[in-house]
Amino acid sequence: LVFQPPVQAPAPVPPPPPPVPAAAPPSAISRHLASLQRAESIQLRANAAVAEASDSVLTCMHQDAERFKPVAERILRGTPHTERCETLDWLLQAFDIMRFSDGALAGAVLILDRYGSSGPANAEVTNAASQRTLLTAVCLALKFGSREDSQLPLARVISHLSRDAIRFDEVCQTEAGILQSLDFCVETPSLHQFVETLGMRLSRYGRRCRYLANFLLQLSYVDATFCYRFAHSVLAAAIWALALSSTQAPAQAFRTLVEDAFVFSPTAVGNSLLECCMDLRQVWAWAQSVQDPAFATVVQRVRLKFATANREQVAFLAPPANAMAMDPMLLLLSRAIASMPAGSGA
């Protein structure tokens, strides 16, 4: 008797791997950065180095800003409008005197608002504690800011700003508490960074347009409820839209704006940009003749800053007279949004 070995069943054939989706083409802003590889400026060539990753970086930038965005109601429970406006007025004066950048100003405002949003409601805060918190926010903004803002030792900055009333070691102790409240996440994307990013391709439309965008940006800080109502990416796009419209930029500028803003978030920009533009026009019109003393002083401070000749006197520009006057701009934005591929910032 001859025994045959059992016949083994053939191994199952694995299914073919799913097709790899084609990579999305680089966005227009990514291509713009790549074009800077041979620029004369070292800083521009450094920007070109991130061109390949820029689309994913900008998407993450929007997500991080949304994740860490303060809640206006919580801010105002601990710091009413009057106190917050006094703080903002002091920051505008101090940063102007010390010649700190607008980026550092935005960082300090955001740190204070995030700290206020994270704190317990109805907590009693002394005047001395408020001053230490304010100076600590300034220190943190300078630490994580640009090199041009860190020319002086921080101890000297604190001594000068406080007129020797607050010691540097007190600020360091306060810093530990603020860092803990912020979960040690200090350098989160600010509204200023979104405006600057969108300005990379929009700066070609002139200095007056750029200064008007910065003017509207700093007006947006004044009312926390408005400042944090929309995503930073949406508000930054609305700021540029009104600046472009008010300086008679061509129709192509609005297409460029929407292309670049869609890289942050097509959904957020597509759904909320037109509404945000309408609300920003109301804030601008309100700032022209604000009567509420809680806001009037800081609004006037912003207007004085941008009424100078070196900032093209953009504070004297008038907002669109009414909602109907916005129709041409809104139509251009609507067409640009409708022409964008779904889910694409290319």
Side-chain angles (χ1 to χ4, degrees):
L1 217 36
V2 178
F3 292 94
Q4 298 292 335
V7 178
Q8 293 184 349
V13 178
V20 178
S27 68
I29 199 167
S30 175
R31 297 194 297 272
H32 169 74
L33 288 171
S35 71
L36 303 176
Q37 291 178 353
R38 297 181 180 178
E40 293 183 4
S41 166
I42 295 177
Q43 181 59 52
L44 291 179
R45 292 201 300 274
N47 292 342
V50 301
E52 188 173 339
S54 61
D55 290 349
S56 59
V57 168
L58 296 184
T59 300
C60 290
M61 183 176 167
H62 166 81
Q63 293 169 348
D64 284 349
E66 285 296 280
R67 178 185 173 191
F68 295 106
K69 187 172 71 174
V71 178
E73 292 77 8
R74 294 178 185 171
I75 298 170
L76 298 175
R77 277 205 302 263
T79 310
H81 279 302
T82 303
E83 293 180 21
R84 185 176 177 278
C85 286
E86 288 174 354
T87 298
L88 183 54
D89 183 53
W90 183 89
L91 285 170
L92 285 163
Q93 291 184 71
F95 277 56
D96 189 45
I97 292 170
M98 300 295 293
R99 297 187 178 181
F100 294 145
S101 69
D102 287 345
L105 172 65
V109 172
L110 184 57
I111 288 169
L112 286 169
D113 284 344
R114 287 183 59 217
Y115 180 62
S117 179
S118 67
N122 303 319
E124 292 188 10
V125 181
T126 64
N127 185 53
S130 295
Q131 291 178 356
R132 288 195 296 271
T133 299
L134 173 56
L135 291 171
T136 302
V138 172
C139 263
L140 287 170
L142 296 178
K143 284 181 181 180
F144 289 92
S146 63
R147 184 177 298 178
E148 67 186 48
D149 293 320
S150 56
Q151 301 299 315
L152 293 174
L154 289 176
R156 283 183 58 188
V157 173
I158 297 304
S159 174
H160 181 76
L161 293 178
S162 70
R163 299 180 182 179
D164 295 321
I166 295 177
R167 301 191 313 273
F168 185 60
D169 64 309
E170 295 179 85
V171 171
C172 293
Q173 292 171 5
T174 305
E175 182 179 291
I178 291 180
L179 289 174
Q180 189 171 12
S181 294
L182 301 181
D183 292 329
F184 297 91
C185 296
V186 178
E187 197 176 8
T188 58
S190 69
L191 179 57
H192 178 270
Q193 288 173 303
F194 283 88
V195 170
E196 287 293 295
T197 300
L198 291 177
M200 284 194 290
R201 290 210 300 150
L202 296 173
S203 294
R204 72 183 76 169
Y205 296 108
R207 283 166 46 88
R208 193 171 178 82
C209 182
R210 172 173 279 281
Y211 280 123
L212 181 55
N214 286 329
F215 171 62
L216 295 174
L217 163 66
Q218 295 190 21
L219 275 185
S220 299
Y221 298 151
V222 174
D223 184 354
T225 303
F226 171 73
C227 187
Y228 301 114
R229 182 182 305 159
F230 298 95
H232 282 348
S233 54
V234 175
L235 180 50
I239 285 169
W240 272 108
L242 264 72
L244 291 167
S245 177
S246 298
T247 54
Q248 289 80 50
Q252 177 57 36
F254 297 91
R255 168 75 186 191
T256 299
L257 169 61
V258 170
E259 281 180 344
D260 293 352
F262 259 49
V263 182
F264 291 124
S265 172
T267 302
V269 175
N271 291 343
S272 303
L273 178 56
L274 303 187
E275 179 188 357
C276 187
C277 287
M278 297 293 288
D279 288 358
L280 180 58
R281 186 208 72 82
Q282 291 181 338
V283 169
W284 189 3
W286 163 81
Q288 295 290 100
S289 57
V290 58
Q291 299 297 321
D292 189 334
F295 297 100
T297 301
V298 67
V299 167
Q300 183 63 13
R301 183 78 57 192
V302 176
R303 291 180 59 80
L304 286 173
K305 176 176 180 176
F306 287 91
T308 57
N310 65 327
R311 290 187 172 94
E312 302 286 334
Q313 298 181 319
V314 293
F316 296 115
L317 291 175
N322 49 47
M324 290 182 62
M326 298 273 287
D327 286 349
M329 180 195 74
L330 297 177
L331 180 60
L332 289 171
L333 291 174
S334 298
R335 288 174 175 171
I337 290 171
S339 69
M340 294 297 295
S344 171

